[in-house]
Amino acid sequence: MSKILVIAEHADGKLNAGVAKVLAAASKIGGEVTVLVLAADGAAVAAEAAKLDGVAKVLVADSAALANPVAANLAPAIVEVAAGYSHVLFPGTTFGKDVAPRVAAKLGVPQISDVMAVHSGSSFDRPVYAGNAITTVEAPAGTIVITVRLASFTAVAASGSAAVEKVSVGVTAAAHTRYVKLEAQKSARPDLQSANKVVSGGRALGSSENFKVIFDFADKIGAGVGASRAAVDSGYVPNDMQVGQTGKIIAPELYFAIGISGAIQHLAGIKDARTIVAINKDAEAPIFEVADIGLVGDLFTVVPELTAKM
Amino acid sequence: MKAIVSVKRVVDYNVRIQVKPDGSGVVTDGVKMSMNPFDEIAMEEAVRLKEKGKITEIIAVTIGGAKNEETLRTALAFGATKAIHIKDEGEVQPLTAARALAAVFKKEGASLLIAGKQAIDDDANQTGQMVAALLDIAQATFAGKVDVDGNKATVVREVDAGLETLEIDLPAVITADLRLNEPRYLKLPDIMKAKRIPIEATTLADLGVTAAAAVKTVKTAPPPTRSKGVVVKTVDDLIAALKAKGLA
């Protein structure tokens, strides 16, 4: 039987919502599931994790060295606990992506990144080429480290009551790494990567000033704002707004592509959007091939009208 | 002070990826190949650090078949001072690549590995972190800003919650995110000059590296296709269509 260790990402004493999705992937693997909380004081996070369905046990390793999410400190602690486990699962967040390979290398075992479907304890699907192809992979015998693609799993419910146990780990903070600070995003707009709705503008906007029409519309419907690479390269908006293969890969419920032709590299970033709306004056633009709803027209008249009416 | 930059040859980001009908992989024959875009950013950062006098040498390293030499030529055109080609014709697992890079890092007495955060072919996002683990040195992934001051580096990381700042002692591994910089356009004279620089060849065996247990790719399939939607004529029709989907 599989013995699965799920690493609990947390911040400010709260369990990351992605952990409930990792548990959904764990239940597909099947076996005994243990959640590991590493923190300076993990009691509150452990209590939250203990409620999640499918959890057999929660281990809490409290140490001053684990106060901040520093991979060089977390990895040795995880390696210590991971002995005897067949699978070590992380959420596919920047946290999981940072720490998981450090654990895998220390264990001398492979990592499978971005698991989107589980066929068995050793067979998984994962996207490659920014989701333009899906591979089925077979893991070798022995422990495997996995990061779970959160957009592919539905969170488990919180109706359980697992036991919480303390575990001691002999970790000291690495002298070579000092955690300085976290600046949380100050933008009043929803974060591009977790927003339910995203409005993106492309080259057709023509200037930085003209992007106001995109921002106004996004603010009206409470959406995050993105841009095509062409718009970023033209200097209309900063790099961090780029949606696409070399920018951010997003999966909102509703996506508006405005004045975006639909280059392959952009489409790779929006494949998982539930509904795509395209507004473009070129009826032949490739974006219309993937759009659920298309409107051929001049964005400078269409978008303000949409802003007023929605 | 030496920096190593790992570079990978991948299908160009502008190519429409085609899955082979027999499910054995994606089509790479006759397809434009380029340096992984995140590795270009890593290369650019190394060159800027050298221009600022923070590092003195840049060693570009790649692992793969004969054609990967092109990628090293690109790295030399960027401004790498040396290029090492670890020749291997097989599919290289991230852990194997990490072991090889760690071996080169030690052999060269390097202070910094700058790598792309991930390659846009396998999208694994593992190798840099694995090198840091194998060498027991600091890591700063998803770097959006790097300042090197003597034997220290301050790195602003682009994490899900915002911008995280780490101060790390060298030797260290830094992986480049998209916003770190904008790679320069290579000039023809630099490209020509790069062709004349000798490339050092080695193998995994020469480096004393054993290949890691392989995760086998059993099948490659195209992603589920999106069905073509409707085209509406007016904004009112658009809003009605959104309402029908419960989205407005």
Side-chain angles (χ1 to χ4, degrees), chain A residues 17 30 77 216 232 253:
Chain A
D216 288 348
V232 170
E253 287 291 310

Side-chain angles (χ1 to χ4, degrees), chain A residues 144-160:
Chain A
I144 39 174
V145 172
I146 286 172
T147 61
V148 175
R149 188 175 182 277
L150 300 179
S152 304
F153 294 90
T154 308
V156 298
S159 62

Side-chain angles (χ1 to χ4, degrees), chain A residues 94 97-98 102 106 111 113 126 129-130 134 136 138 176 178 180-181 183 246 271 273 292 294 309, chain B residues 121-124 126 129 136-137 139 141 160 163 165 167 169 178 216 218-219 221 226 230 232 236:
Chain A
T94 51
K97 289 172 181 182
D98 186 43
R102 194 150 182 138
K106 281 282 176 200
Q111 176 182 323
S113 300
R126 63 173 304 265
Y129 291 96
I134 310 295
T136 303
E138 182 70 32
H176 57 55
R178 289 162 303 275
V180 180
K181 62 178 172 181
E183 289 162 80
T246 51
K271 270 185 187 312
D292 299 283
K309 289 182 174 171
Chain B
D121 51 2
D122 63 14
D123 286 332
Q126 299 177 17
Q129 296 90 309
D136 261 319
I137 58 176
Q139 74 182 48
T141 52
D160 293 338
L163 299 174
T165 306
E167 193 183 86
D169 293 334
L178 189 72
K216 287 198 180 73
V218 180
K219 190 181 82 182
R226 299 190 73 99
V230 296
V232 295
D236 291 331

Side-chain angles (χ1 to χ4, degrees), chain A residues 84-101:
Chain A
Y85 286 90
S86 57
H87 300 77
V88 182
L89 270 56
F90 291 81
T93 54
T94 51
F95 165 84
K97 289 172 181 182
D98 186 43
V99 182

Side-chain angles (χ1 to χ4, degrees), chain A residues 5 17 30 35 39 53 58 74 80 87 97 105 170 195 211 223 228 237 241 297-298 305:
Chain A
L5 186 65
V35 174
D53 287 5
V58 178
L74 292 164
E80 225 182 292
H87 300 77
K97 289 172 181 182
F211 239 82
S228 69
V237 288
M241 285 173 58
D298 180 2
E305 187 185 343

Side-chain angles (χ1 to χ4, degrees), chain B residues 29-134:
Chain B
D29 287 346
V31 162
K32 188 186 176 201
M33 305 292 281
S34 300
M35 183 188 286
N36 174 40
F38 292 108
D39 298 348
E40 285 189 351
I41 296 171
M43 209 43 241
E44 174 69 31
E45 195 65 18
V47 173
R48 291 187 190 185
L49 287 173
K50 184 165 171 280
E51 285 167 352
K52 284 185 217 154
K54 306 286 185 184
I55 57 175
T56 50
E57 278 185 61
I58 303 169
I59 305 168
V61 182
T62 197
I63 309 174
K67 286 185 175 162
N68 290 55
E69 191 182 315
E70 290 167 20
T71 312
L72 288 176
R73 295 283 169 212
T74 306
L76 289 164
F78 261 103
T81 50
K82 179 174 166 177
I84 298 175
H85 187 172
I86 304 169
K87 295 203 166 166
D88 194 281
E89 293 294 337
E91 193 182 322
V92 181
Q93 299 283 317
L95 184 53
T96 309
R99 285 174 180 166
L101 288 167
V104 172
F105 194 95
K106 271 200 259 186
K107 193 171 161 223
E108 296 289 338
S111 299
L112 199 54
L113 167 67
I114 310 180
K117 71 166 178 178
Q118 71 192 68
I120 62 163
D121 51 2
D122 63 14
D123 286 332
N125 193 335
Q126 299 177 17
T127 308
Q129 296 90 309
M130 286 180 162
V131 174
L134 295 173

